[in-house]
Amino acid sequence: MRYVISFGLAIAITFLLLWGMQTLISAGNDAMSEPPRGRVLDFIRLKQDQAIVKKDRKPLRPQKPKTPPPQNMQPQIAKANPNAKANSSSFAADIQADVSLGNGLSLGSSDGEYLPIVKVAPIYPRRAQSRGIQGYVIVEFTVTTNGSVRDPVVLTAVPENIFDRAAMAAALKFKYKPRVIDGVPQEVAGVQNKITFQIDG
């Protein structure tokens, strides 16, 4: 008798559990398929139209070109001394007018004669500058057809063998307007130039 009652209760409980599970499943399907209740409002914020302001830009007037400096026929003398920082005293290298042995002074000659354009001051020897030695060198060279200097030679040096190399190196950097005869450039030999080395102050 006990077994029969237990078996009947088990069947009843099983039936109730199955019925409850079926009820929960059906209720869940309805919850997923039902549309949301209530009203949903979508807010879209619109930007106001901005007024476009146009600016009138006038082109600037071009600046007037600066007038070029007047040209002159005086030779340019560039003074450069890399040893100036090593010694507080400054120096001046005086480059005197060119002299041609065959034609005398050339700067006062007529058109077509050679003329100096650029003259570079020599580099003052550091040893002579530190000892306060001064002097001059007379250099003789040839002005070529393209205005460069060739074959510089020291004629006189006071004191000797102090400023010779500096004077010849500077002479090789000189630039001339060559002598022209009948439209043809000519070499001029025997041009002499005196370079003075003097410490200022």
Side-chain angles (χ1 to χ4, degrees):
M1 193 65 183
R2 293 179 181 177
Y3 292 107
V4 174
I5 296 172
S6 298
F7 184 75
L9 290 174
I11 292 174
I13 292 171
T14 303
F15 178 76
L16 291 174
L17 289 174
L18 292 175
W19 180 78
M21 293 175 61
Q22 183 65 30
T23 304
L24 291 174
I25 291 172
S26 61
N29 291 333
D30 294 339
M32 296 296 295
S33 60
E34 288 181 359
R37 298 178 180 180
R39 297 181 180 179
V40 179
L41 299 179
D42 293 334
F43 291 94
I44 300 176
R45 182 173 295 177
L46 299 177
K47 295 183 178 180
Q48 296 180 357
D49 295 337
Q50 297 179 355
I52 299 176
V53 180
K54 294 183 179 180
K55 295 183 179 180
D56 295 333
R57 296 184 178 179
K58 297 182 180 180
L60 300 176
R61 294 182 180 178
Q63 298 180 355
K64 295 182 180 179
K66 298 181 179 180
T67 57
Q71 298 180 356
N72 52 10
M73 295 303 295
Q74 296 295 331
Q76 300 177 1
I77 300 177
K79 295 184 179 182
N81 181 23
N83 302 331
K85 295 182 179 179
N87 196 313
S88 59
S89 61
S90 60
F91 79 99
D94 184 17
I95 303 175
Q96 297 185 0
D98 300 324
V99 178
S100 174
L101 293 179
N103 298 284
L105 290 175
S106 301
L107 291 177
S109 302
S110 60
D111 294 339
E113 285 294 330
Y114 71 95
L115 293 173
I117 299 175
V118 176
K119 289 192 174 182
V120 179
I123 298 175
Y124 210 107
R126 182 178 301 177
R127 188 174 181 181
Q129 185 179 2
S130 62
R131 295 184 178 184
I133 301 175
Q134 304 181 106
Y136 67 90
V137 178
I138 298 178
V139 183
E140 182 179 281
F141 49 83
T142 300
V143 177
T144 63
T145 56
N146 61 2
S148 61
V149 171
R150 189 185 66 195
D151 303 330
V153 178
V154 175
L155 297 181
T156 306
V158 178
E160 296 181 356
N161 301 324
I162 299 294
F163 304 107
D164 297 18
R165 291 184 180 180
M168 287 191 296
L172 288 173
K173 298 178 182 179
F174 292 174
K175 296 296 180 182
Y176 289 83
K177 175 185 176 184
R179 174 188 291 174
V180 179
I181 299 177
D182 296 332
V184 180
Q186 304 290 330
E187 287 190 351
V188 181
V191 178
Q192 297 181 8
N193 196 292
K194 181 180 179 181
I195 303 175
T196 302
F197 294 82
Q198 183 178 359
I199 299 176
D200 296 337

